[in-house]
Amino acid sequence: MKVEAVRIRTIELPLKKPFITHQASIDRRKLLIVEAEDPEGRIGYGEVTAFESPFYTSETIVTAFHVLKEFLIPLLFGLEEQTPAAFAEGVRPIQGHPMAKAGLEGALWDLYGKKENKSLKKLLGGIRESVKAGAVLSLTDNLREEVEALKLEGYERYKLKVRKGCEKETIEALRKIAPDLPVMIDANGQYGPDDFHRLQEMDEYGLMMIEQPFQPADFFYHKELQATMRTPLCLDESIMSFHDAVQGVELESCRIVNVKISRVGGLTEAKAIHDFCERRGVPVWCGGMVESGVSKAHNLALATLPNFTIPGDLSSSTRYFERDIVQPPIIMDRGEIRVPEGPGIGIDVDREYLEFVTNHSYEAKAT
């Protein structure tokens, strides 16, 4: 496979309402859309889901744009074969920057699927025609109103953002509204070793899991806490690579792993993590990043792999945005989203709207 041109677009999508965690508040989602075009004019699409500030990981939209332009795109053009596998192997000497890598690799996967006339699901070895969807409740959501609406739509797993010191009140408020709701809480690394007792008290609520209670590098604290709790711990920000996933599982720092394509550096690494966890009997689920339909389509294909047994952060196009950049929009029906079967990611990008929401673009061509 040969790539003739790569384009990077900075786009901005307004959210229906602010998405707030204890780390940040977002009312407009800025993203990078990466396009890889072959000599026949086929275009593959990927997405960089870094945020504007480095509150989630060290990457930002600005750093990702720079790394793509100055390092990753020139490296791609220097490869003899420009397949996703060749690119994933070629970028290993470049330290860090997994979101930038994932954006370009995603475009290559979509382009490769279109060239081979195969869906991304088939290329990855997926087995499901549809995947179960999970919803995320931010700190500003009106719980009763939001939960009642989401239940009607059929979401089968609810992730509750919590703020340290208020977690019990938040969980109990949700339980009063919907006592039997399958709930997990997302701590986003806001706890420390002095909070063991506070976290251990969460066992009484019978949660599906507690996601990332400690900071990303704290495999030891996660291990120590997990050994004292019935509730499974799930690692999110700690898992930046296949190596991290192996550490987390082998150290028994968690019983569940959240796989985010962008956080681990691309679909190649994400599938390797899935395969390893499947061999070790550790369930995985697909995390989300308040992303556009381009990323959602990649996530849907990944979530068709057999060990994705927990509903992921997989939502419809209308969950966060008034209008998405893909067509037709991604729709959830009775708690499930049907996985596109067309070549590559299986859905089209609304080029007219993509141009409208593009703030800045850059194009590089193979020499």
Side-chain angles (χ1 to χ4, degrees):
M1 186 174 84
K2 286 294 180 184
V3 176
E4 188 172 76
V6 176
R7 285 177 289 276
I8 317 170
R9 297 175 181 268
T10 303
I11 71 166
E12 201 166 325
L13 298 175
L15 270 65
K16 287 181 174 179
K17 59 183 179 180
F19 186 88
I20 296 181
T21 73
H22 82 282
Q23 300 160 299
S25 174
I26 305 165
D27 57 12
R28 300 179 69 83
R29 185 64 164 111
K30 188 173 283 189
L31 298 158
L32 298 183
I33 299 299
V34 183
E35 303 174 20
E37 185 172 353
D38 70 7
E40 288 74 40
R42 290 178 287 247
I43 299 175
Y45 294 92
E47 182 172 328
V48 177
T49 62
F51 293 99
E52 291 183 73
S53 64
F55 70 86
Y56 178 71
T57 71
S58 59
E59 285 184 272
T60 67
I61 289 293
V62 172
T63 65
F65 194 103
H66 170 73
V67 170
L68 280 162
K69 178 182 175 182
E70 300 297 332
F71 301 103
L72 300 182
I73 294 172
L75 183 148
L76 172 68
F77 286 147
L79 296 174
E80 185 175 342
E81 271 295 314
Q82 294 163 348
T83 60
F87 176 76
E89 185 60 33
V91 297
R92 291 196 184 281
I94 295 179
Q95 298 299 306
H97 306 286
M99 293 185 175
K101 292 175 182 177
L104 182 48
E105 191 194 312
L108 297 176
W109 275 106
D110 185 28
L111 181 61
Y112 184 62
K114 288 170 178 172
K115 179 179 180 297
E116 298 295 315
N117 197 30
K118 291 182 179 179
S119 69
L120 185 53
K121 182 187 91 170
K122 287 185 177 178
L123 291 175
L124 294 173
I127 62 170
R128 300 185 180 93
E129 294 183 354
S130 61
V131 297
K132 294 185 182 297
V136 182
L137 298 164
S138 91
L139 290 174
T140 54
D141 284 332
N142 179 315
L143 279 182
R144 181 173 295 279
E145 179 182 305
E146 192 71 11
V147 167
E148 288 177 354
L150 292 170
K151 284 176 69 178
L152 285 174
E153 292 182 55
Y155 283 95
E156 296 198 11
R157 185 233 67 199
Y158 295 77
K159 180 162 82 171
L160 188 61
K161 296 287 186 180
V162 294
R163 183 175 280 117
K164 181 178 172 179
C166 304
E167 53 281 283
K168 284 190 173 184
E169 293 87 339
T170 306
I171 296 168
E172 288 169 1
L174 182 58
R175 284 284 160 83
K176 286 180 182 177
I177 298 167
D180 300 322
L181 212 61
V183 176
M184 56 177 285
I185 62 171
D186 187 2
N188 288 121
Q190 61 186 297
Y191 297 95
D194 293 338
D195 297 309
F196 267 49
H197 182 64
R198 179 191 299 275
L199 291 161
Q200 287 162 342
E201 289 179 342
M202 297 296 104
D203 258 348
E204 68 180 277
Y205 293 107
L207 299 168
M208 294 178 68
M209 69 187 86
I210 299 174
E211 185 179 9
Q212 197 68 42
F214 304 115
Q215 287 294 304
D218 290 338
F219 287 97
F220 175 76
Y221 292 141
H222 284 103
K223 171 186 171 64
E224 292 292 292
L225 179 64
Q226 183 64 94
T228 69
M229 294 191 69
R230 297 187 305 275
T231 305
L233 299 187
C234 171
L235 292 182
D236 176 5
E237 289 95 329
S238 292
I239 309 299
M240 300 288 290
S241 65
F242 174 77
H243 178 71
D244 289 337
V246 172
Q247 283 197 91
V249 172
E250 297 289 4
L251 290 171
E252 299 182 351
S253 300
C254 64
R255 295 179 191 154
I256 300 171
V257 170
N258 173 341
V259 182
K260 287 180 180 170
I261 297 170
S262 59
R263 194 193 60 236
V264 303
L267 272 166
T268 302
E269 196 87 344
K271 186 178 185 305
I273 292 170
H274 164 275
D275 294 349
F276 168 76
C277 289
E278 184 178 34
R279 292 192 299 271
R280 293 303 307 270
V282 175
V284 298
W285 58 280
C286 187
M289 294 284 290
V290 192
E291 64 261 286
S292 84
V294 171
S295 270
K296 288 182 190 294
H298 284 86
N299 290 343
L300 288 172
L302 179 68
T304 64
L305 293 172
N307 196 40
F308 282 93
T309 55
I310 299 169
D313 292 341
L314 304 167
S315 56
S316 65
S317 290
T318 57
R319 172 75 175 116
Y320 298 115
F321 309 115
E322 292 288 353
R323 183 175 176 182
D324 205 342
I325 58 171
V326 297
Q327 56 183 7
I330 294 170
I331 302 296
M332 191 196 66
D333 182 28
R334 289 171 289 186
E336 296 190 348
I337 301 175
R338 190 164 186 84
V339 180
E341 296 287 351
I345 61 174
I347 51 177
D348 294 324
V349 169
D350 184 339
R351 296 289 302 185
E352 183 178 348
Y353 188 58
L354 179 62
E355 291 284 354
F356 179 76
V357 296
T358 296
N359 294 331
H360 174 67
S361 63
Y362 165 79
E363 179 176 86
K365 292 189 176 182
T367 54

